[in-house]
Amino acid sequence: MPTRKTSIFVFLLILAVCFIAYANSISNPFIWDDDALVVKNQAIRSINLIPQLFNDDLYSGSVAGSNFYRPLQSFTYMLDYHFGELNPVYYHITNILLQALAGFLVFLLSCALLNNLSVSIAGALLFSVSPVHTEAVSYISGRAEMLLGVFLISSLLFFMKIQDSRKNIRPLLLFLSHFLFILALLTKELAVVFPFVIASYLFYFRQKKFTSRYFINKAWPFFAIAGGYIALRLFLLNFHTLRPLALMHVPFFIRITVIPKIIFTYIKLLVYPVGLHMSWELVRPTSVLAIIASLFTLGLIVFFCLRIFLGRKKRLAAFFLSWSLIFFLPQSGIFPINAFVSEHFIYLSSIPFFLLVAYLLKKYLRGRLFFIVVSGLVIFYALLTASRNYEWSDAIIFYQKIIRFSPGSFQAHNNLGLQYERKGLDALALDEYKQALKIKPDLLEARSNLANLYFKLGRYQDALTEYTAVEKTVPLKKAAELQNNIANVYEALGLYDQALAKYKLALKIDGSLSFAHFNMARIYFTRKNKPEAERQVYYSLFDQGTPAQEAYLRLIADYLGSAASVPGAKEFYNNLGVRFAADNLFYPAAACFRKALQLDLDFQDAYFNLGLAAWQIGSKKEAVFALRSCLRRNPNHLKAKGLLAEILRKK
């Protein structure tokens, strides 16, 4: 193993190379699934919600949901949000740091297995900056790959170290290895195959000790942990999703025949990493001749692999091949996953490839020539990676490229529609939503987006038609929100009785949907029923089960009594909060400002007001967070600067 000084130097080298290659990704916006996993994910916005992360699926904030259980991935987003809120810079920097750490661990693993410093450094550098990994690093939602790599490689390194360590520290090393494996399982489902990596290591590198008893003693805890995880996922954490896995409808036999093409596609991407994009479409063999050729090729691949596995003298080659296959096969199409080919699928499987390249270069190139060629390759990879990062800098160009390569990508059409809508290009957005639905008529997200856009455009009947279609299949966790949206349409049409009925239904489904109370208050105010409007405003702020505070109700009544109309929700809550604060009622004032910020995360006045109210009620942490959030949006907010300085002095 390398010395401590060498290890520090290599880590800093990998870190520097990673930041150089990915520097132009730091300012890139949230894109694709980032919207569901980060931007619209309410569960990451408070450390107090950590238990919720361990109870929900990864896409709990989306319409369709998923059966992905990755609480640690969401936890890292929570940490990013805590420090940088929705500033994508923080999330991208975290990804780059994780990639550097993963690259360093590849270096340590290579040193432990190859005992060749120059090959290990070269292989780790190539792995760290390869453009094939931009889908994991430049894409915030791709973070699970790097987290998985960090946890699993660390687990294997601790396990390998047990054999050569003193007996008194072996239990600690074993505990760390098992604990890191558990963390990997909480990061991505693919970790469940890791026990087979442990088994492969024992078979190829502990052959002198290898007996059935020795194997069982060393490997069984990993298989037991994996078995427990599978049981939990099947019986307790098996989440409902409205979007079945994309390959579910493809027969098993057809999926098998596609495997050779998948393998050669990945080899091509590793050898010549150009033309990368997010959504790959493969032409499946359909004729009898093509199917026979594919099966014959698959047979040759299996024969080649068996030759390596059975040649015990080439234990390194056999172990690394088993590593690649163990992480590749679950994502090869054998199981009905979401795609035949996706660049991030080979994140872990690619490690042996880069080490092989480094080994071959070292074997056939001597001294300075090896250094020059490796340096040239690293620079070439870094330039390709930087070029790919530019594609992620503009969401519209990004989705347009995907559609150019894969016109059948319904998700790309839907996401492009969202980007057009945000740019105010509503006609183009409508076309994209409709195209997504033409490809996949049951795409709930596109139909919901189309309904929302119709509502925004004032096409209320069209919106109602689309919402009614969504209503038939919407999952329970989104049913209340949908009823609230339908009520909005009825309200806009002046059908107040129907609107009230839908708002009440929404609250019956989900009593925490507090904004439905505000919407009801607006209708009651319009109908001159101010006492009921006052109560609904109160219930939008406080739990309906708590006794009503007369002082709060009186102030709400005074506020509504002086209003000619109910303004937009965020202005309403901010102004009401100011009224509460003027009467030194800072607890309800803070509740109002929090409501305003739920509606608009860039509402700088609400941040300042919340900071002031939180400070008055003794919540210093929340006050500092709110004031710093205000200053991030407006660095010249003098009142926020002054109050923050005062709070920090007193702390």
Side-chain angles (χ1 to χ4, degrees), residues 126-153:
L126 293 172
F127 169 83
S128 299
V129 298
S130 171
V132 170
H133 299 325
T134 52
E135 194 173 291
V137 187
S138 302
Y139 180 35
I140 293 168
S141 295
R143 180 177 298 179
E145 307 302 330
M146 293 170 292
L147 286 169
L148 184 67
V150 167
F151 291 138
L152 290 186
I153 297 173

Side-chain angles (χ1 to χ4, degrees), residues 549-565:
Q549 298 280 343
E550 291 300 325
Y552 298 174
L553 284 170
R554 281 198 302 271
L555 191 144
I556 292 171
D558 290 342
Y559 178 67
L560 288 174
S562 62
S565 63

Side-chain angles (χ1 to χ4, degrees), residues 174-315:
L174 187 61
F175 167 78
L176 290 173
S177 182
H178 293 160
F179 178 67
L180 287 162
F181 175 44
I182 293 171
L183 295 183
L185 289 168
L186 297 176
T187 299
K188 189 177 179 182
E189 295 77 6
L190 181 63
V192 77
V193 301
F194 180 67
F196 294 100
V197 174
I198 295 293
S200 177
Y201 170 76
L202 290 172
F203 181 75
Y204 287 111
F205 291 96
R206 298 292 168 181
Q207 290 183 15
K208 291 182 180 179
K209 296 182 178 180
F210 195 89
T211 62
S212 58
R213 184 176 180 181
Y214 175 83
F215 174 80
I216 292 172
N217 286 341
K218 298 298 181 182
W220 81 262
F222 291 95
F223 284 97
I225 292 170
Y229 169 81
I230 292 171
L232 283 173
R233 290 303 316 276
L234 288 175
F235 300 109
L236 291 179
L237 299 168
N238 190 12
F239 303 100
H240 175 68
T241 175
L242 291 181
R243 187 189 299 169
L245 297 169
L247 302 186
M248 189 73 75
H249 66 283
V250 181
F252 176 76
F253 177 75
I254 297 299
R255 298 201 302 268
I256 290 292
T257 62
V258 179
I259 289 178
K261 191 162 191 175
I262 295 171
I263 292 172
F264 292 131
T265 299
Y266 283 138
I267 292 173
K268 173 184 173 296
L269 292 178
L270 288 168
V271 174
Y272 188 60
V274 297
L276 304 173
H277 59 92
M278 274 284 286
S279 183
W280 288 81
E281 292 183 357
L282 292 184
V283 178
R284 305 166 198 168
T286 54
S287 67
V288 174
L289 185 61
I291 290 174
I292 292 173
S294 179
L295 291 175
F296 178 75
T297 305
L298 182 60
L300 290 177
I301 293 171
V302 171
F303 175 76
F304 171 76
C305 292
L306 288 175
R307 285 292 302 271
I308 294 178
F309 287 142
L310 296 175
R312 292 199 173 191
K313 293 182 179 180
K314 299 178 180 179
R315 60 178 187 170

